[in-house]
Amino acid sequence: MSGCCVYGCTNRYSTSGLKFYRIPTGSRPFQSNRRRLWLQAIKRVDWNEDIIKNARVCSAHFISAEEDIPFPKREYDDLNLRYCQLQEDYVNLRQEFDTLCGL
């Protein structure tokens, strides 16, 4: 491919400042999970292994951690939203528990 494989993305190698990443191979458990998440985020259903091994994802679809390891933005947003919801649920349950226990 001459550019990013994410559906709807028009970024190409000539775009300055972007990096392009290979899709993880999935040879180890951590990589296998990462590969699954990447393919899920890319939303391509008609791919085979030959297409996937040559595909690249541009850095516009990632946020970088301190270690500069790419992480899909959508997955991060989903996890962050879920974390906030769980934290709010915890606070509400804790208040309800304290009320029931007379604390």
Side-chain angles (χ1 to χ4, degrees):
M1 289 189 162
S2 61
C4 183
C5 66
V6 174
Y7 183 77
C9 183
T10 58
N11 292 331
R12 300 288 173 247
Y13 288 114
S14 62
T15 308
S16 64
L18 292 176
K19 293 181 181 179
F20 288 80
Y21 301 95
R22 292 178 184 260
I23 295 172
T25 59
S27 58
R28 290 182 250 162
F30 177 77
Q31 289 178 334
S32 178
N33 188 46
R34 181 179 278 183
R35 176 186 176 92
R36 181 185 58 78
L37 292 172
W38 281 39
L39 292 174
Q40 184 179 10
I42 291 170
K43 296 184 179 182
R44 300 281 186 163
V45 293
D46 57 344
W47 280 17
N48 59 41
E49 285 302 315
D50 289 332
I51 295 172
I52 291 172
K53 74 178 181 180
N54 293 315
R56 303 292 185 274
V57 179
C58 75
S59 57
H61 303 286
F62 296 96
I63 58 170
S64 294
E66 291 179 8
E67 303 87 28
D68 199 30
I69 298 172
F71 192 78
K73 283 183 180 179
R74 179 178 173 200
E75 184 68 19
Y76 175 81
D77 290 343
D78 291 347
L79 289 172
N80 193 39
L81 178 62
R82 183 70 181 132
Y83 172 78
C84 291
Q85 289 169 342
L86 288 172
Q87 192 173 25
E88 185 177 328
D89 290 346
Y90 170 78
V91 169
N92 292 336
L93 286 171
R94 185 65 196 192
Q95 288 173 348
E96 185 178 338
F97 177 79
D98 289 347
T99 300
L100 291 172
C101 292
L103 300 175

